[in-house]
Amino acid sequence: MNRRARTLLTAATAVALSALAGPAVAAPPADGHDATRQAMRVAVADGVPGVTVRVQRGHGAWAATAGVGDLKTGKPRSTRDHYRVASISKTFVATVVLQLEAEGRLALDDTVDKWLPGMVRGNGHDGRKITLRQLLNHTSGIFDYLADPGFQRTYMTADGFMEHRFDEAEPEELLAFALANEPYFAPGSAFEYSNTNYLLAARVIEKATGNDYGDEIDRRIIAPLHLTSTSVPTTRVTLPRPSSRAYSKLAETDTGPTYDVTELNARLAYGSGQMVSGSADLNRFYSALLRGRLLPPEQLKKMKTTVPSSRETSRYGLGLVDRKLSCGVHVWGHDGGISGSNSDAVTTEDGRRTLAVNFNGDWSGSTEAIIEAEFCGT
């Protein structure tokens, strides 16, 4: 969610960052994160209530905050904040699917219909022609249920959100929003980011294992890596402590009233973006993933096999994005946006340098500018 708004803001934020960071680039502090600090301050100046960032380099870590975690009290953000990571959840889901492939329990070239018979039919959608691989790399053509006008009116406008923020819906109810629309294209012929793909991928995990997809993420990833701040909440509408308040305009503009949207039921995002985590855990997860601790070499290679995406500077693998930064550095990871929260987590290909950032507002600022500052500004 909110991917387009963040992309449009990147260029403007980068210009402001350049103006603010000029003298500091010539004489950076000993820790080498001055450009990142400047980018955080630019985000707050742009309207983000608060920012929390953590960087891991080998065995050393650096963490910092800017702005506030509570607009009423002025309480600052914490470097240990829990927050909703939204589409970063997709990397966890894809990792479990690839683990199941490594175990011989499914194949990426299996059709969706093999695992979810008859579920994907209507208005030109046909699960018999779509593979699991195409779900994971967004080449299925399935319409994004979040883009359906009915879903947006019900859950994403100010009135709709306030009335329905605690709703519980089964994945099949969410899928119906997608299938009410025509597919974007024939399966495998192009790329279009669609949250419906990962709703279905989570359902495939459940069919293949007999367990809730969140339980499989917990057993296979969260517990082995000791990710103590990470969870796949079912119906919990609050965030674990410590955490900050989350804010949204509940509109496509950055003007108008600011709403506190901290309490909501993220089960509506299901496998596409339901998870909660923290910066230290995200650093650990992506580092472990790229170092081969979660997948055999064959499956990690498949995960890193990319297709062109909607962004010129990035390519999409299986739940994993390869981004080329302005200085030529490649980082792997994912971003995510949900009401009141924008997050980004990336790592170098060797897993030795990682960054996780979260904004507790969803209408302004650029997480990409912070990544650029950390990896290219020093």
Side-chain angles (χ1 to χ4, degrees), residues 5-51:
R6 292 200 307 280
T7 300
L8 291 173
L9 283 164
T10 300
T13 306
V15 170
L17 171 61
S18 175
L20 285 173
V25 170
D31 66 13
H33 300 287
D34 189 60
T36 309
R37 289 189 183 89
Q38 294 281 18
M40 294 167 68
R41 288 193 286 267
V42 167
V44 173
D46 192 46
V48 176
V51 183

Side-chain angles (χ1 to χ4, degrees), residues 22 28 52 68 94 97 131 133 189 192 202-203 219 239 297 319 362 367 374 376:
T52 183
V68 299
V97 173
T131 67
R133 189 191 310 272
S189 63
E192 183 68 35
R203 267 304 199 217
R219 182 175 71 85
L239 288 167
D362 60 21
T367 57
E374 176 61 31
C376 298

Side-chain angles (χ1 to χ4, degrees), residues 176-243:
F177 285 105
L179 299 183
N181 301 271
E182 294 181 356
Y184 293 121
F185 46 75
S189 63
F191 172 94
E192 183 68 35
Y193 191 91
S194 174
N195 290 281
T196 312
N197 289 322
Y198 277 76
L199 181 156
L200 293 167
R203 267 304 199 217
V204 169
I205 291 171
E206 293 172 345
K207 289 289 186 177
T209 65
N211 300 317
D212 185 274
Y213 87 95
D215 292 339
E216 289 295 314
I217 288 175
D218 185 71
R219 182 175 71 85
R220 293 168 173 272
I221 301 174
I222 295 174
L225 294 182
H226 306 290
L227 304 181
T228 57
S229 296
T230 304
S231 62
V232 186
T234 52
T235 57
R236 177 173 180 162
V237 300
T238 58
L239 288 167
R241 295 182 180 179
S243 60

Side-chain angles (χ1 to χ4, degrees), residues 3 63 70 77 109 135 140 151 156 175 183 216 242 295 345 362:
R3 294 164 61 86
D70 189 318
R77 295 213 61 179
D109 292 325
L135 293 182
S140 72
F151 183 92
M156 300 174 74
L175 178 62
E216 289 295 314
L295 293 174
D362 60 21

Side-chain angles (χ1 to χ4, degrees), residues 306-327:
T306 60
V307 297
S309 77
S310 54
R311 302 180 187 180
E312 291 183 3
T313 57
S314 68
R315 294 176 62 88
Y316 205 96
L318 305 183
L320 191 66
V321 181
D322 173 18
R323 275 182 262 187
K324 183 179 180 181
L325 304 181
S326 62
C327 55

